Every structure is written in C-alpha cells, then in structure tokens.
Amino acid sequence: MKRTAFFISDGTGITAEALGNSLLAQFADIVFERITLPYIDSIEKAHEVVTAVREAHIKDGTKPILIDTIVDENIRQLISQSEAIKIDIFSTFIKPLESELGIKSRYSVGQSHGIVESQRYKNRIESVNFALDNDDGMRTRHYDEADIILVGVSRCGKTPTCLYMALQFGVRAANYPLTEDDLESNGLPSCLKPYQNKLYGLTIDPFQLAAIRHERRANSRYASLTQCETEVVFGEQLFKSLKIPFINTTTFSIEEISTRIMADRGLKRRIN
C-alpha cells in the first residue's frame, strides 16, 4: 500500500515531522510518501496546501494523511477543509492541556531524533561527504552534482548550514567563500557562473561577523569591523545585482536557515 503524508507547519516543520514519523513508523506495511511544507503562515499558502492535498488524493485514490502544527486559527480552519485524514497536533494535544491547566500554551518548535534506516543513513553519509569535499570552494568541478551552492563572505555560516542540510535533508550542498577580490570585481567568480540557478547567498551583521572572526584571528585586518562592513556591503550588493536570493543569518538558527533555503529554492529532501 502507498499513502501520501503531509507534515504542515507555520515554522520549520520539525515538530510535525517528528510526531508524524513516529506515528507512521507503526505501520511498516505501508509505503508513505512524506511531504513537508514549512512556513505555511498565510491564507495564500494555506490555499496551496489544500490544492496539493487534493492533487495527492486524486493521484493516490485515497485520502492523504495531514499532520499539522499550525497556530493561526484561520489558517488551520482553511487547511481543515482538505479531503484528508487530519491530525491537528494543537487540537489533539494542546487544547485539552489548556483546558485542564486554565492557561494558553506558548507555541514552540521542538526537535526529535528518529531511528535511522540503512538507506537513509547511506544517503545522509553521502550528502555529508559531499558537503565536506566541496567546502570552501575546494572542488568546484563537482558543482554540477550539487543541489545548492551557498555563497557568502568567510565565517557567515556556510559550512554548518551545508552540513545540517546534508544531515537533516540529505541535500548535496556545496559552498564557496567570496574573497575580497571577488567582491571588488562586482561579478561572480568564473567557476560559479554556470551554476547561478543553484546559488543562494548568506550574509550577516558586520558586528557579529567581526566577533566571530576575532576568535579565529584576533586583532587582524580580517577581523576588523571596517573590513567586515566592507565585505558584507559588497556581498549584499552582488546578491541584489544578480538577483541571487539570500538570507541574513544573524538571528536565525542553522535549522531555520536550512529550512528557509529549502523552501525558497523548492529543494526536495533525499531522506525521509
């Protein structure tokens, strides 16, 4: 048997995935196509969810399973109109607790670690090896195999983001550090030009960048605030001029950065 299972969230989707995978693991005879839709935080996106669920229903000939952690009542009500077997985590678990405790809950996204299957583990290791082999522009000849290439100034979070995307999603993520020469040229390095559709930029607050670099090379030009400000400004100008999507990593966790990149680029996970 085959069924489609949707994990819907107005955050990263980690909570919905964790609970959903735990529940679905109890039905080993069924093959589930798992689809995670994070950051469903508007009515427009909710309509897209309803459409996706309807299409899955038509394709499979059976109702999809829909597990959500949506907080907004209007969005939840719209999604509840889907022709699906719905498991609303907030209604099922939080509402009874709110009633018993006499207070409203505070929404937070949790994390969970599930049992890793052999193929999933293999895919994860291959993705991690790819991220390590293609870290800091070491092997640009392999960029044709990348799902995404992160670009940004040194120490803005490229490497940990690539590794998290490999571990959590099985995505083949490479990264390339923009040097001072790259930034001053106001153009992409030649090795990146064929892959502009795979590029995603990372930027950061110059003060935080200076603090991070100071731990690595204290009292150096590399770690000076002036140098950090210059690089950040040039980097953001480059992203904007070439219409490369980018995110400021200053206030986001690696989990949030990775999930936003996945959502923005429409990347599909290689592991479930």
Side-chain angles (χ1 to χ4, degrees), residues 16 43 51 72 77 82 85 103 125 132 153 155 203 227 234 243 250 263-264:
I43 294 297
T51 299
D72 187 281
Q77 287 181 359
S82 304
I85 305 302
I103 59 173
I125 292 302
L132 292 173
V153 300
R155 313 304 290 180
T203 188
Q227 180 65 21
F234 273 116
K243 294 183 170 55
T250 306
D264 287 350

Side-chain angles (χ1 to χ4, degrees), residues 142-187:
H142 292 157
Y143 280 179
D144 60 319
E145 301 174 20
D147 297 312
I148 191 80
I149 303 170
L150 303 186
V151 292
V153 300
S154 173
R155 313 304 290 180
C156 67
K158 299 184 301 299
T159 296
T161 301
C162 284
L163 288 173
Y164 181 84
M165 293 174 75
L167 284 166
Q168 185 68 21
F169 305 118
V171 166
R172 293 183 177 181
N175 75 78
Y176 185 93
L178 293 174
T179 66
E180 191 172 4
D181 290 340
D182 293 330
L183 296 170
E184 290 179 352
S185 69
N186 291 320

Side-chain angles (χ1 to χ4, degrees), residues 50 70 72-82 88:
V50 173
I70 300 292
D72 187 281
E73 189 66 29
N74 293 325
I75 295 176
R76 288 167 60 198
Q77 287 181 359
L78 177 55
I79 291 177
S80 70
Q81 299 173 14
S82 304
D88 185 330

Side-chain angles (χ1 to χ4, degrees), residues 19-259:
L19 179 59
N21 283 321
S22 296
L23 294 173
L24 299 183
Q26 309 305 313
F27 304 92
D29 295 333
I30 299 177
V31 176
F32 292 100
E33 180 182 355
R34 296 169 170 86
I35 299 174
T36 301
L37 300 177
Y39 301 112
I40 305 302
D41 51 10
S42 69
I43 294 297
E44 180 181 359
K45 292 180 181 179
H47 279 295
E48 294 175 357
V49 170
V50 173
T51 299
V53 172
R54 180 170 62 250
E55 291 174 350
H57 187 186
I58 295 172
K59 181 187 70 173
D60 295 344
T62 55
K63 290 183 178 181
I65 297 167
L66 195 158
I67 300 172
D68 81 85
T69 55
I70 300 292
V71 177
D72 187 281
E73 189 66 29
N74 293 325
I75 295 176
R76 288 167 60 198
Q77 287 181 359
L78 177 55
I79 291 177
S80 70
Q81 299 173 14
S82 304
E83 285 294 315
I85 305 302
K86 294 176 283 292
I87 301 175
D88 185 330
I89 292 176
F90 281 88
S91 294
T92 305
F93 301 105
I94 301 299
K95 291 295 184 183
L97 283 172
E98 288 180 335
S99 177
E100 175 64 27
L101 298 174
I103 59 173
K104 290 290 184 180
S105 64
R106 296 181 62 185
Y107 174 67
S108 62
V109 177
Q111 297 186 46
S112 176
H113 298 281
I115 297 174
V116 179
E117 298 174 357
S118 58
Q119 187 58 47
R120 181 183 181 186
Y121 180 77
K122 180 181 177 180
N123 291 339
R124 173 176 284 159
I125 292 302
E126 288 177 350
S127 298
V128 170
N129 285 335
F130 184 87
L132 292 173
D133 288 342
N134 293 274
D135 185 43
D136 273 346
M138 289 191 297
R139 297 187 180 182
T140 59
R141 66 181 183 276
H142 292 157
Y143 280 179
D144 60 319
E145 301 174 20
D147 297 312
I148 191 80
I149 303 170
L150 303 186
V151 292
V153 300
S154 173
R155 313 304 290 180
C156 67
K158 299 184 301 299
T159 296
T161 301
C162 284
L163 288 173
Y164 181 84
M165 293 174 75
L167 284 166
Q168 185 68 21
F169 305 118
V171 166
R172 293 183 177 181
N175 75 78
Y176 185 93
L178 293 174
T179 66
E180 191 172 4
D181 290 340
D182 293 330
L183 296 170
E184 290 179 352
S185 69
N186 291 320
L188 283 177
S190 58
C191 63
L192 295 181
K193 289 180 179 178
Y195 309 106
Q196 189 167 336
N197 64 321
K198 295 184 178 184
L199 302 184
Y200 199 101
L202 300 188
T203 188
I204 189 172
D205 178 79
F207 288 92
Q208 182 163 330
L209 180 61
I212 294 171
R213 288 183 174 184
H214 184 76
E215 294 179 1
R216 187 178 179 89
R217 298 181 193 172
N219 302 316
S220 64
R221 177 174 176 270
Y222 169 78
S224 71
L225 181 57
T226 299
Q227 180 65 21
C228 292
E229 288 176 333
T230 300
E231 291 186 24
V232 168
V233 169
F234 273 116
E236 292 182 1
Q237 287 176 347
L238 178 65
F239 299 149
K240 292 174 182 177
S241 66
L242 297 176
K243 294 183 170 55
I244 297 172
F246 67 95
I247 184 173
N248 189 312
T249 64
T250 306
T251 59
F252 291 120
S253 67
I254 296 299
E255 293 87 347
E256 290 174 310
I257 295 166
S258 302
T259 307

